[in-house]
Amino acid sequence: MNYNPSAGEIKTAVAERLSRLFGETPAEATREQMYRAVAKTVTEMLNDKRAGYKEAVAKGKAKQVYYICMEYLLGRSLKTNLENLGLADKYKEALEQMGFSLDELYECEPDAGLGNGGLGRLAACFTDSLASLDYPAFGFSICYEYGLFRQKIVDGLQIELPDNWLPGGDVWLQPRPDRVFTVRMGGRVTETWKDGRCVIGYEDTEDVEAFPYDMMISGGASDSVARLRLWKARATRSFDMSLFSQGQYAKAMEDSGSAEIISKVLYPSDNHLEGKLLRLTQQYFLTSASVQNIIRDHMAVYHRIDNLSDKVAIHINDTHPSLVIPELMRILIDDYFLSWEQAWDITVKTVSYTNHTVLPEALEKWNEDIFRFRLPRIYMIIHEINERFCRDAWEKFPGDWNRIGGMSIISYGQMHMANLAVIGSHSINGVSALHSQILKDTVFKDFYRMYPERFTNVTNGIAHRRWLCYSDKKLAKLLDGTIGPAYRHEPEKLADFKAYSEDAGVIDALRRIKHENKQSFAALLEKKTGVVIDTHSVFDVQIKRLHEYKRQLLNVLDIIGIYLDLKNNPSLDIYPRTYLFGAKAAPGYAFAKRTIQLICMLQKEIEADPRIREKLRVVFLENYCVSMAEALVPAAEISEQISLAGKEASGTGCMKLMMNGALTIGTLDGANVEMRDAVGRDNIYIFGMNAGEVEQLWREGYNSALYYARNDRLKRIVDCLDHGFAGESFADVAAYLLSGQGVADPFMCLADFDSYSRVREAMYRDYLDRDKWTVKSLMNIAGSGFFAADRAVTEYAERIWGLEKFKLN
Ligand code: 26W
């Protein structure tokens, strides 16, 4: 099919795929069959387009970026691809003629949930922008057979079910048997001298095949198509014939089982390292296959290795793929016989690193013995990198063992991946202005003194076409009709919307759109869960991973306060509110799971009281995921961004909600700081301590009991946890807040409670003046252009990767 088919051509193409794939005609086909046939026509088109683009990039000898990440939280693809290709309307028409609804087909697609949260979704948003802006880009990740678990809530308890996404998700994957690489682990390294060179050999290694599946990521009205390559692990010999012929069938199969386990499942922990050998194996598997692939592609075009950093940028997304650094060194030295100095120069110039978290429990460390045993050659190389680094550091900080110890990659029997990432990259950035500053002031303070020129900031951004144009079509239409459609490709143009802040017609339309979006979400919720919510209540939304530092608990405490007020006086005059929570807890994170239970039990108790239910509702949304966010974000009115200041690196959900006209209540943390600058103080609700005040309180000694004793309302709230809700006591949560194990209330919910509660009430008062509120909402939409991934990616390309746009003539 050509890139601009008519509805008739689409019909013919789809019918042909239906017949080829299933032997069915459109009249007989099921919805699932139709979805697959439609997706097939789209992948074929994207493959063709990508092939042409790739050839032109090679001919033009343009620099390319390889974005390596353990997580890609893609969600669904069909809608975004059709919209990006500008074909959604024509497919809709063609499908209608065949008796199908395109919207219903969208619902057939499972989310590709190959990520936990922010990190993975950012990778997906960036890939969309890279393709849209015509930057030559490749993503690399793992083809997990099971993505992030499916969450089920039973009596308030989170149950994890396997996320078997491939039936249905596999239509987007193109197997590439021609690009298989072998990844070597374990065994012993041998060194022999041949022709005056040290030749590295291996004995008794466990070899695994990395088998690639390619996914094409379309850009919005661009020439380029980005490619995401997902590696699946396979045994090199899936069958040991000699064992088989000895009658040892089970043993013969064992090998293939142990290799394939590598890509079986995504680790479901967000911001918490478990230190498992399999995770290290996954990381080396991803990095080794990807680096081999990058070098192969480079040599195929240039036939020389010395210009690698001129033509290739490799970006490591957080420290998880930091083994790229020693792996690249290994190939340059062992396979291309470069000197250490040459290889190191190329490596550092090629690699750049983004840090996404400062939480100490997320900083990756590996046991040195396990590491050496699993990756002996990589260990040798890291050891040498570290020796040389420590020598340089000694020159900079003579005699300062403590400082050098803190910067060393290997210390006290552990391998520190963040230190490796910093030492081996020419650029290190955080993901918001505040976070990048915190990196320089704390975690990487000494590195910043050593390499000040390497440190920079790139504030995150979101794929605004997916998160505004395609998921909030009514708002997009209003924008098209007012400021014109240019914002779709130049998101900074959203600022033009400010000019309509006094236009009563536009304000009215904006309010109507929000209400219709609330109705659509409520209808979806009812259809899927049976839960009915009041679309005239204010929708107050907290959607993100469940984590203590994100402080869902602070939100719940305040809701309990409102609940108690209403119980005390059911005729209390408050505007009805619906508190919507969406969050998955890491399976081993007991307190996070307990917080989910608290939300659910509170929900249950409120539901049982019809007088209270009219004014106050709590809804825990089961299995929050990308496609649910696409339905909920356009309906949200209040966005909760209430992390303890200094802990949330950026946040990106905050950007999606802002862009869709929700007003933020938040601390001065992560990107909230820049959001306040973008919208002005009157259009955002800031509360609580800032990062400096949090630090100071820590230093002085935080005593949550003081806040409890001083505030009667807070005291009543915490006290009522003992009795609990719907028959479940939460005395342990009260104890966590007041006595705790170690430190009580480690994320300072009680310290920020009063401020939070007051600001939230002020926000609800403002909500009553709906015109004023809607103007604020408009100002948020108008101020959100900066938070588009197009801007973020352009900054990376220009300031970090040295990448230019490549367009077809
Ligand atoms: C080793 C376990 C582990 C797994 C994932 C550690 C750390 C992670 C991620 C880096 C955590 C993460 O997703 N961080 C989030 O990254 C987003 C994108 O930059 C930010 O917007 C969020 O603030 C940050 O929490």
Side-chain angles (χ1 to χ4, degrees):
M1 210 164 34
N2 65 63
Y3 300 153
N4 191 16
S6 65
E9 286 168 320
I10 292 170
K11 266 169 61 179
T12 311
V14 170
E16 197 184 297
R17 302 312 176 280
L18 263 182
S19 156
R20 220 189 300 150
L21 290 170
F22 307 107
E24 291 290 6
T25 62
E28 299 286 319
T30 65
R31 218 181 266 166
E32 269 70 27
Q33 288 171 333
M34 200 52 152
Y35 152 70
R36 291 184 80 93
V38 167
K40 189 86 191 147
T41 61
V42 178
T43 46
E44 283 168 11
M45 201 183 299
L46 290 174
N47 283 341
D48 282 354
K49 210 173 159 188
R50 167 77 198 176
Y53 187 71
K54 185 182 169 223
E55 196 182 357
V57 168
K59 266 201 197 127
K61 301 204 176 337
K63 190 172 186 177
Q64 337 212 18
V65 64
Y66 295 86
Y67 197 86
I68 309 189
C69 188
M70 287 282 282
E71 306 189 9
Y72 270 82
L73 188 47
L74 296 156
R76 291 172 173 163
S77 291
L78 181 56
K79 183 177 181 179
T80 311
N81 279 331
L82 286 179
E83 294 281 359
N84 271 345
L85 293 167
L87 296 176
D89 288 340
K90 283 201 205 137
Y91 266 79
K92 192 170 172 1
E93 188 190 332
L95 285 161
E96 264 164 19
Q97 289 174 18
M98 291 188 276
F100 287 86
S101 134
L102 182 57
D103 284 333
E104 282 174 5
L105 293 197
Y106 290 153
E107 291 299 313
C108 292
E109 183 175 353
D111 275 35
L114 310 182
N116 275 289
L119 176 84
R121 187 53 233 171
L122 189 78
C125 282
F126 278 11
T127 313
D128 179 304
S129 281
L130 284 164
S132 300
L133 296 171
D134 286 312
Y135 285 116
F138 299 70
F140 281 117
S141 193
I142 294 177
C143 190
Y144 301 105
E145 195 176 328
Y146 297 96
L148 184 64
F149 63 86
R150 211 151 46 79
Q151 180 191 53
K152 232 185 134 45
I153 303 292
V154 179
D155 294 334
L157 299 176
Q158 169 179 291
I159 312 282
E160 299 92 30
L161 300 173
D163 165 54
N164 194 6
W165 71 286
L166 282 170
D170 59 344
V171 273
W172 302 103
L173 298 177
Q174 171 87 22
R176 292 295 302 265
D178 54 320
R179 288 286 186 279
V180 173
F181 293 93
T182 301
V183 177
R184 216 181 272 144
M185 281 171 284
R188 284 179 306 281
V189 177
T190 60
E191 291 171 276
T192 44
W193 286 87
K194 203 172 158 196
D195 305 330
R197 263 182 192 155
C198 177
V199 178
I200 298 292
Y202 298 86
E203 283 175 1
D204 298 333
T205 53
E206 286 168 41
D207 294 354
V208 172
E209 260 178 24
F211 189 100
Y213 288 85
D214 284 357
M215 201 163 180
M216 298 305 158
I217 313 280
S218 58
S222 64
D223 293 341
S224 157
V225 173
R227 187 196 65 195
L228 173 58
R229 179 158 285 178
L230 301 172
W231 301 105
K232 197 166 164 43
R234 288 199 322 193
T236 39
R237 306 149 292 141
S238 58
F239 218 54
D240 185 329
M241 278 314 279
S242 68
L243 286 175
F244 185 59
S245 51
Q246 289 162 34
Q248 297 189 44
Y249 178 80
K251 179 93 185 83
M253 296 303 285
E254 243 166 42
D255 257 10
S256 73
S258 63
E260 277 148 31
I261 200 113
I262 295 172
S263 52
K264 195 55 102 187
V265 61
L266 166 81
Y267 270 93
S269 279
D270 182 66
N271 266 311
H272 186 86
L273 174 75
E274 284 181 67
K276 294 270 168 33
L277 179 62
L278 180 57
R279 166 99 179 168
L280 176 64
T281 304
Q282 286 186 335
Q283 295 185 350
Y284 185 63
F285 171 74
L286 166 63
T287 52
S288 177
S290 306
V291 175
Q292 291 183 57
N293 192 152
I294 292 166
I295 302 280
R296 186 219 158 271
D297 284 359
H298 178 79
M299 292 305 288
V301 177
Y302 298 99
H303 311 286
R304 53 187 271 218
I305 196 73
D306 60 313
N307 66 341
L308 187 76
S309 66
D310 297 335
K311 297 296 170 188
V312 166
I314 304 180
H315 199 79
I316 56 178
N317 211 23
D318 215 87
T319 56
H320 318 151
S322 54
L323 295 178
V324 156
I325 294 160
E327 178 67 2
L328 184 54
M329 288 295 285
R330 181 186 73 77
I331 294 176
L332 296 178
I333 293 171
D334 295 354
D335 298 351
Y336 288 89
F337 305 107
L338 296 193
S339 71
W340 182 277
E341 288 74 16
Q342 282 174 311
W344 186 244
D345 183 56
I346 292 177
T347 300
V348 175
K349 280 186 182 149
T350 306
V351 178
S352 48
Y353 156 59
T354 299
N355 172 287
H356 296 265
T357 180
V358 293
L359 295 193
E361 65 270 30
L363 292 183
E364 289 197 300
K365 300 178 196 84
W366 298 107
N367 175 287
E368 186 179 354
D369 293 332
I370 291 181
F371 193 103
R372 189 196 297 130
F373 182 71
R374 191 70 182 144
L375 304 168
R377 179 66 185 138
I378 294 300
Y379 176 82
M380 288 163 73
I381 291 170
I382 294 181
H383 199 273
E384 182 64 25
I385 294 173
N386 197 44
E387 288 283 300
R388 288 171 185 248
F389 167 76
C390 288
R391 249 177 269 153
D392 291 351
W394 182 263
E395 269 178 28
K396 175 88 186 168
F397 306 113
D400 198 343
W401 279 114
N402 251 353
R403 199 185 297 271
I404 297 169
M407 299 161 86
S408 175
I409 306 169
I410 307 174
S411 68
Y412 297 105
Q414 295 205 294
M415 317 278 294
H416 295 254
M417 291 305 156
N419 293 0
L420 172 64
V422 172
I423 293 166
S425 304
H426 68 274
S427 171
I428 298 124
N429 73 286
V431 288
S432 70
L434 174 67
H435 169 59
S436 295
Q437 192 57 45
I438 290 174
L439 290 179
K440 293 194 286 190
D441 293 343
T442 62
V443 200
F444 297 142
K445 184 167 159 230
D446 296 325
F447 283 118
Y448 179 55
R449 283 182 63 184
M450 215 161 143
Y451 312 119
E453 73 290 349
R454 291 190 185 183
F455 284 80
T456 183
N457 171 61
V458 183
T459 299
N460 280 345
I462 55 163
H464 78 290
R465 283 167 291 276
R466 178 187 277 256
W467 291 103
L468 167 61
C469 307
Y470 311 154
S471 64
D472 198 344
K473 292 230 155 172
K474 290 176 178 157
L475 177 54
K477 198 166 161 208
L478 178 65
L479 289 165
D480 290 342
T482 48
I483 60 174
Y487 75 94
R488 290 171 178 258
H489 297 282
E490 296 163 80
E492 63 282 1
K493 291 238 159 83
L494 282 169
D496 296 348
F497 202 37
K498 273 188 201 142
Y500 293 85
S501 64
E502 287 173 14
D503 183 324
V506 171
I507 296 300
D508 201 47
L510 198 55
R511 184 173 48 217
R512 248 198 343 267
I513 287 169
K514 185 57 86 181
H515 190 70
E516 286 167 13
N517 289 342
K518 285 167 74 180
Q519 287 174 321
S520 307
F521 178 76
L524 188 76
L525 186 68
E526 186 179 356
K527 187 169 148 215
K528 291 209 162 156
T529 67
V531 174
V532 181
I533 52 178
D534 173 10
T535 53
H536 292 285
S537 64
V538 53
F539 282 14
D540 185 322
V541 171
Q542 188 168 16
I543 38 174
K544 50 187 77 245
R545 281 300 286 247
L546 213 139
H547 207 293
E548 284 160 276
Y549 85 81
K550 295 180 187 279
R551 300 201 293 192
Q552 280 92 352
L553 182 57
L554 175 59
N555 188 350
V556 183
L557 290 176
D558 190 51
I559 300 171
I560 294 173
I562 301 160
Y563 172 58
L564 294 179
D565 293 344
L566 280 171
K567 251 180 48 167
N568 202 24
N569 174 14
S571 49
L572 191 72
D573 184 24
I574 66 164
Y575 193 85
R577 302 117 198 239
T578 302
Y579 294 100
L580 296 147
F581 288 88
K584 287 182 181 176
Y589 192 170
F591 192 77
K593 288 181 144 178
R594 191 74 175 133
T595 309
I596 292 180
Q597 201 182 2
L598 173 59
I599 299 168
C600 293
M601 289 303 161
L602 181 61
Q603 167 174 358
K604 192 169 171 195
E605 186 160 312
I606 292 172
E607 287 302 293
D609 191 332
R611 290 166 317 161
I612 292 184
R613 210 174 53 195
E614 270 177 24
K615 294 179 181 161
L616 172 65
R617 300 287 297 281
V618 175
V619 179
F620 188 87
L621 302 160
E622 191 177 71
N623 200 36
Y624 174 64
C625 56
V626 175
S627 55
M628 186 191 289
E630 283 167 319
L632 177 55
V633 167
E637 293 173 297
I638 294 181
S639 157
E640 300 280 342
Q641 308 301 336
I642 61 178
S643 52
L644 177 64
K647 301 288 178 200
E648 187 71 271
S650 161
T652 46
C654 54
M655 302 171 183
K656 292 159 201 163
L657 288 156
M658 174 196 194
M659 202 174 264
N660 282 263
L663 270 58
T664 301
I665 178 164
T667 46
L668 281 178
D669 198 13
N672 294 354
V673 179
E674 289 151 87
M675 279 166 53
R676 179 199 58 178
D677 296 344
V679 294
R681 283 159 204 269
D682 293 343
N683 299 310
I684 187 166
Y685 294 80
I686 299 294
F687 74 94
M689 295 176 287
N690 63 29
E693 289 161 345
V694 169
E695 271 306 302
Q696 197 184 336
L697 186 53
W698 265 126
R699 274 198 306 272
E700 289 167 358
Y702 172 55
N703 182 359
S704 61
L706 285 180
Y707 296 86
Y708 166 84
R710 269 190 225 140
N711 182 333
D712 280 348
R713 186 159 186 269
L714 178 58
K715 188 166 182 306
R716 260 182 282 129
I717 293 166
V718 176
D719 287 349
C720 102
L721 289 169
D722 268 337
H723 179 262
F725 306 99
E728 176 78 18
S729 164
F730 290 92
D732 55 328
V733 177
Y736 163 93
L737 290 168
L738 291 177
S739 46
Q741 293 170 322
V743 183
D745 187 21
F747 293 91
M748 298 180 163
C749 290
L750 301 198
D752 275 343
F753 176 82
D754 189 51
S755 170
Y756 177 54
S757 200
R758 282 172 199 279
V759 171
R760 185 137 81 159
E761 277 316 307
M763 199 170 189
Y764 287 124
R765 275 197 302 278
D766 287 357
Y767 185 80
L768 297 178
D769 185 341
R770 208 53 70 75
D771 279 344
K772 240 170 116 182
W773 179 272
T774 310
V775 172
K776 287 179 195 284
S777 170
L778 179 146
M779 295 305 275
N780 272 269
I781 298 163
S784 69
F786 177 80
F787 301 101
D790 286 359
R791 185 270 314 151
V793 155
T794 305
E795 285 192 43
Y796 276 97
E798 291 177 356
R799 292 201 283 114
I800 296 177
W801 303 326
L803 201 64
E804 280 172 16
K805 293 183 179 178
F806 186 89
K807 283 182 167 299
L808 301 179
N809 294 323

